Amino acid sequence: MDDLRNKKVLLVTTDGRVVVGILKGFDAQTNLILSKASERAFSTDSFREIPQGLHVVRGDTIAIIGEIDEEKDDAIDWQAVRADPITSIRI
Amino acid sequence: TYSLQLFYSFFKTLVGQPVVVELKNDMLIQGTLVSVDQYLNIKLDGVRVEDERKYPHVASLKNSFIRGSVVRYVHIPATAVDTALLQDAARKESQQPK
């Protein structure tokens, strides 16, 4: 994950949440520190972006983490997006 | 040839191949395998989620690091693997005295 340091990343958690932020740190267990974090809460009738500030995320709650294509991200009108929330990880 | 840490070694032979990772939350992520580690965490480049309409949440992802613990399946091209060799190595490894 070295190449993601200080990049804007998007995280999908095991409980189906989507969080964006800047990856400031991580360890071998994929525990993370995100700055300027915000949660993107999707539903079929609304979209909300919830600012979270500086966030520490425990590694075992992470499903996916990836670099955001900022051009692509900026081109999307997130306020207009409607979707079911991502389902939780089930063993 | 495959050895201890069988599947880690196996995935290393697939670097550069297109794969589809199926997660335990039913998401299917396509991409090119960039790397794998001892925990079978998977790094993919050029990712696309299979059902883009259902998953606009990840539309702006360029690449992804997928935690090994959330992977259900890794779908790989049939031509990418020597199945007989893999079966043989798996059988041998399972017969190792522990």
Side-chain angles (χ1 to χ4, degrees), chain A residues 41-68:
Chain A
F42 293 84
S43 80
T44 49
D45 12 63
S46 66
F47 172 87
R48 284 195 309 148
E49 183 122 13
I50 308 161
Q52 311 261 273
L54 184 65
H55 242 228
V56 174
V57 186
R58 195 181 148 87
D60 59 10
T61 65
I62 287 158
I64 305 172
I65 176 164
E67 188 180 351
I68 284 184

CSV table of all heavy atoms in Angstrom, one decimal, chain A residues 41-68:
chain,number,residue,atom,x,y,z
A,41,ALA,N,-22.7,8.4,2.3
A,41,ALA,CA,-23.9,7.5,2.7
A,41,ALA,C,-24.9,7.4,1.6
A,41,ALA,O,-25.5,8.4,1.3
A,41,ALA,CB,-24.5,8.0,4.0
A,42,PHE,N,-25.0,6.3,1.0
A,42,PHE,CA,-25.9,6.1,-0.2
A,42,PHE,C,-27.2,5.5,0.3
A,42,PHE,O,-27.2,4.6,1.2
A,42,PHE,CB,-25.3,5.1,-1.2
A,42,PHE,CG,-24.0,5.6,-1.8
A,42,PHE,CD1,-22.8,5.5,-1.2
A,42,PHE,CD2,-24.1,6.3,-3.1
A,42,PHE,CE1,-21.6,6.0,-1.8
A,42,PHE,CE2,-22.9,6.7,-3.7
A,42,PHE,CZ,-21.7,6.6,-3.1
A,43,SER,N,-28.3,5.9,-0.3
A,43,SER,CA,-29.6,5.1,-0.1
A,43,SER,C,-30.4,5.4,-1.4
A,43,SER,O,-30.0,6.2,-2.2
A,43,SER,CB,-30.3,5.6,1.1
A,43,SER,OG,-31.0,6.8,0.8
A,44,THR,N,-31.5,4.6,-1.5
A,44,THR,CA,-32.3,4.8,-2.7
A,44,THR,C,-33.1,6.1,-2.7
A,44,THR,O,-33.6,6.5,-3.7
A,44,THR,CB,-33.3,3.6,-2.8
A,44,THR,OG1,-34.0,3.5,-1.5
A,44,THR,CG2,-32.6,2.3,-3.2
A,45,ASP,N,-33.2,6.8,-1.6
A,45,ASP,CA,-33.8,8.1,-1.7
A,45,ASP,C,-32.9,9.3,-1.4
A,45,ASP,O,-33.3,10.4,-1.5
A,45,ASP,CB,-35.1,8.3,-0.8
A,45,ASP,CG,-35.3,7.2,0.2
A,45,ASP,OD1,-34.5,7.1,1.1
A,45,ASP,OD2,-36.4,6.6,0.0
A,46,SER,N,-31.7,9.1,-1.0
A,46,SER,CA,-30.8,10.2,-0.7
A,46,SER,C,-29.3,9.9,-0.8
A,46,SER,O,-28.9,8.7,-0.9
A,46,SER,CB,-31.1,10.8,0.7
A,46,SER,OG,-30.7,9.8,1.6
A,47,PHE,N,-28.5,10.9,-0.8
A,47,PHE,CA,-27.1,10.8,-0.7
A,47,PHE,C,-26.6,11.8,0.3
A,47,PHE,O,-27.1,13.0,0.3
A,47,PHE,CB,-26.4,11.1,-2.1
A,47,PHE,CG,-24.9,11.2,-1.9
A,47,PHE,CD1,-24.2,10.0,-2.1
A,47,PHE,CD2,-24.2,12.3,-1.7
A,47,PHE,CE1,-22.8,10.0,-1.9
A,47,PHE,CE2,-22.9,12.4,-1.6
A,47,PHE,CZ,-22.1,11.2,-1.7
A,48,ARG,N,-25.8,11.4,1.2
A,48,ARG,CA,-25.2,12.4,2.2
A,48,ARG,C,-23.7,12.2,2.3
A,48,ARG,O,-23.2,11.1,2.3
A,48,ARG,CB,-25.8,12.1,3.6
A,48,ARG,CG,-27.2,12.6,3.7
A,48,ARG,CD,-27.6,12.7,5.2
A,48,ARG,NE,-27.4,11.5,5.9
A,48,ARG,CZ,-27.0,11.5,7.2
A,48,ARG,NH1,-26.9,12.6,7.9
A,48,ARG,NH2,-26.8,10.3,7.8
A,49,GLU,N,-23.0,13.3,2.3
A,49,GLU,CA,-21.6,13.2,2.6
A,49,GLU,C,-21.4,13.7,4.0
A,49,GLU,O,-21.8,14.9,4.3
A,49,GLU,CB,-20.8,14.1,1.6
A,49,GLU,CG,-19.3,14.0,1.7
A,49,GLU,CD,-18.6,13.6,0.4
A,49,GLU,OE1,-19.2,13.6,-0.7
A,49,GLU,OE2,-17.4,13.3,0.5
A,50,ILE,N,-20.8,12.9,4.8
A,50,ILE,CA,-20.7,13.2,6.3
A,50,ILE,C,-19.2,13.4,6.6
A,50,ILE,O,-18.5,12.4,6.7
A,50,ILE,CB,-21.3,12.1,7.1
A,50,ILE,CG1,-22.7,11.7,6.6
A,50,ILE,CG2,-21.3,12.4,8.6
A,50,ILE,CD1,-23.2,10.4,7.1
A,51,PRO,N,-18.8,14.6,6.9
A,51,PRO,CA,-17.4,14.9,7.2
A,51,PRO,C,-17.0,14.2,8.6
A,51,PRO,O,-17.8,14.1,9.5
A,51,PRO,CB,-17.3,16.4,7.4
A,51,PRO,CG,-18.6,17.0,6.9
A,51,PRO,CD,-19.6,15.9,7.0
A,52,GLN,N,-15.8,13.6,8.6
A,52,GLN,CA,-15.4,12.8,9.7
A,52,GLN,C,-14.1,13.3,10.3
A,52,GLN,O,-13.6,12.8,11.4
A,52,GLN,CB,-15.2,11.4,9.4
A,52,GLN,CG,-16.4,10.8,8.6
A,52,GLN,CD,-17.3,10.0,9.5
A,52,GLN,OE1,-17.1,8.8,9.7
A,52,GLN,NE2,-18.3,10.7,10.0
A,53,GLY,N,-13.4,14.2,9.6
A,53,GLY,CA,-12.1,14.7,10.1
A,53,GLY,C,-11.0,13.6,10.1
A,53,GLY,O,-10.9,12.9,9.1
A,54,LEU,N,-10.2,13.6,11.2
A,54,LEU,CA,-9.1,12.6,11.2
A,54,LEU,C,-9.6,11.3,11.8
A,54,LEU,O,-10.3,11.3,12.8
A,54,LEU,CB,-8.0,13.2,12.2
A,54,LEU,CG,-6.7,12.4,12.3
A,54,LEU,CD1,-6.0,12.4,11.0
A,54,LEU,CD2,-5.8,13.0,13.4
A,55,HIS,N,-9.3,10.2,11.1
A,55,HIS,CA,-9.9,9.0,11.4
A,55,HIS,C,-8.9,7.9,11.5
A,55,HIS,O,-8.0,7.8,10.6
A,55,HIS,CB,-10.9,8.6,10.3
A,55,HIS,CG,-12.3,8.5,10.8
A,55,HIS,ND1,-13.1,7.4,10.5
A,55,HIS,CD2,-13.0,9.3,11.6
A,55,HIS,CE1,-14.3,7.5,11.1
A,55,HIS,NE2,-14.3,8.6,11.8
A,56,VAL,N,-9.0,7.1,12.5
A,56,VAL,CA,-8.2,5.8,12.6
A,56,VAL,C,-9.1,4.7,12.3
A,56,VAL,O,-10.2,4.6,12.9
A,56,VAL,CB,-7.6,5.7,14.0
A,56,VAL,CG1,-6.9,4.3,14.1
A,56,VAL,CG2,-6.6,6.8,14.3
A,57,VAL,N,-8.8,3.8,11.3
A,57,VAL,CA,-9.7,2.7,11.0
A,57,VAL,C,-9.0,1.4,11.3
A,57,VAL,O,-7.8,1.2,10.8
A,57,VAL,CB,-10.0,2.8,9.4
A,57,VAL,CG1,-11.0,1.7,9.1
A,57,VAL,CG2,-10.5,4.2,9.1
A,58,ARG,N,-9.6,0.5,12.0
A,58,ARG,CA,-9.0,-0.7,12.3
A,58,ARG,C,-9.0,-1.6,11.1
A,58,ARG,O,-10.0,-1.7,10.3
A,58,ARG,CB,-9.8,-1.4,13.4
A,58,ARG,CG,-9.1,-2.5,14.1
A,58,ARG,CD,-9.9,-3.2,15.2
A,58,ARG,NE,-9.5,-4.6,15.2
A,58,ARG,CZ,-8.5,-5.1,15.9
A,58,ARG,NH1,-7.8,-4.3,16.7
A,58,ARG,NH2,-8.2,-6.4,15.9
A,59,GLY,N,-7.9,-2.3,10.9
A,59,GLY,CA,-7.6,-3.1,9.7
A,59,GLY,C,-8.6,-4.2,9.4
A,59,GLY,O,-9.0,-4.4,8.2
A,60,ASP,N,-9.2,-4.8,10.4
A,60,ASP,CA,-10.0,-5.9,10.1
A,60,ASP,C,-11.4,-5.5,9.7
A,60,ASP,O,-12.3,-6.3,9.4
A,60,ASP,CB,-10.1,-6.9,11.3
A,60,ASP,CG,-10.6,-6.3,12.6
A,60,ASP,OD1,-11.0,-5.2,12.6
A,60,ASP,OD2,-10.5,-7.0,13.6
A,61,THR,N,-11.7,-4.2,9.7
A,61,THR,CA,-13.0,-3.7,9.2
A,61,THR,C,-12.9,-3.2,7.7
A,61,THR,O,-13.8,-2.7,7.2
A,61,THR,CB,-13.5,-2.5,10.0
A,61,THR,OG1,-12.6,-1.4,9.9
A,61,THR,CG2,-13.6,-2.8,11.5
A,62,ILE,N,-11.7,-3.4,7.1
A,62,ILE,CA,-11.5,-2.9,5.8
A,62,ILE,C,-11.7,-4.1,4.8
A,62,ILE,O,-11.2,-5.2,4.9
A,62,ILE,CB,-10.1,-2.3,5.6
A,62,ILE,CG1,-10.1,-1.0,6.3
A,62,ILE,CG2,-9.7,-2.2,4.1
A,62,ILE,CD1,-8.7,-0.6,6.7
A,63,ALA,N,-12.5,-3.8,3.7
A,63,ALA,CA,-12.7,-4.7,2.6
A,63,ALA,C,-11.9,-4.3,1.4
A,63,ALA,O,-11.1,-5.1,0.9
A,63,ALA,CB,-14.2,-4.8,2.3
A,64,ILE,N,-12.1,-3.1,1.0
A,64,ILE,CA,-11.4,-2.6,-0.2
A,64,ILE,C,-10.8,-1.2,0.1
A,64,ILE,O,-11.5,-0.4,0.7
A,64,ILE,CB,-12.3,-2.4,-1.4
A,64,ILE,CG1,-13.1,-3.7,-1.7
A,64,ILE,CG2,-11.6,-1.9,-2.6
A,64,ILE,CD1,-14.2,-3.5,-2.7
A,65,ILE,N,-9.6,-1.0,-0.4
A,65,ILE,CA,-9.1,0.4,-0.3
A,65,ILE,C,-8.4,0.7,-1.6
A,65,ILE,O,-7.7,-0.2,-2.2
A,65,ILE,CB,-8.2,0.7,0.9
A,65,ILE,CG1,-7.6,2.1,0.8
A,65,ILE,CG2,-7.0,-0.4,1.0
A,65,ILE,CD1,-7.0,2.5,2.1
A,66,GLY,N,-8.7,1.8,-2.2
A,66,GLY,CA,-8.1,2.1,-3.5
A,66,GLY,C,-7.9,3.6,-3.7
A,66,GLY,O,-8.6,4.4,-3.1
A,67,GLU,N,-7.1,3.9,-4.7
A,67,GLU,CA,-6.8,5.3,-5.1
A,67,GLU,C,-8.0,5.8,-5.9
A,67,GLU,O,-8.5,5.1,-6.8
A,67,GLU,CB,-5.6,5.4,-5.9
A,67,GLU,CG,-5.1,6.8,-6.1
A,67,GLU,CD,-3.8,6.9,-7.0
A,67,GLU,OE1,-3.2,5.9,-7.2
A,67,GLU,OE2,-3.5,8.0,-7.4
A,68,ILE,N,-8.5,7.0,-5.6
A,68,ILE,CA,-9.5,7.6,-6.3
A,68,ILE,C,-9.0,8.3,-7.6
A,68,ILE,O,-7.9,9.0,-7.5
A,68,ILE,CB,-10.3,8.7,-5.4
A,68,ILE,CG1,-11.1,8.0,-4.4
A,68,ILE,CG2,-11.1,9.7,-6.3
A,68,ILE,CD1,-12.0,8.9,-3.6
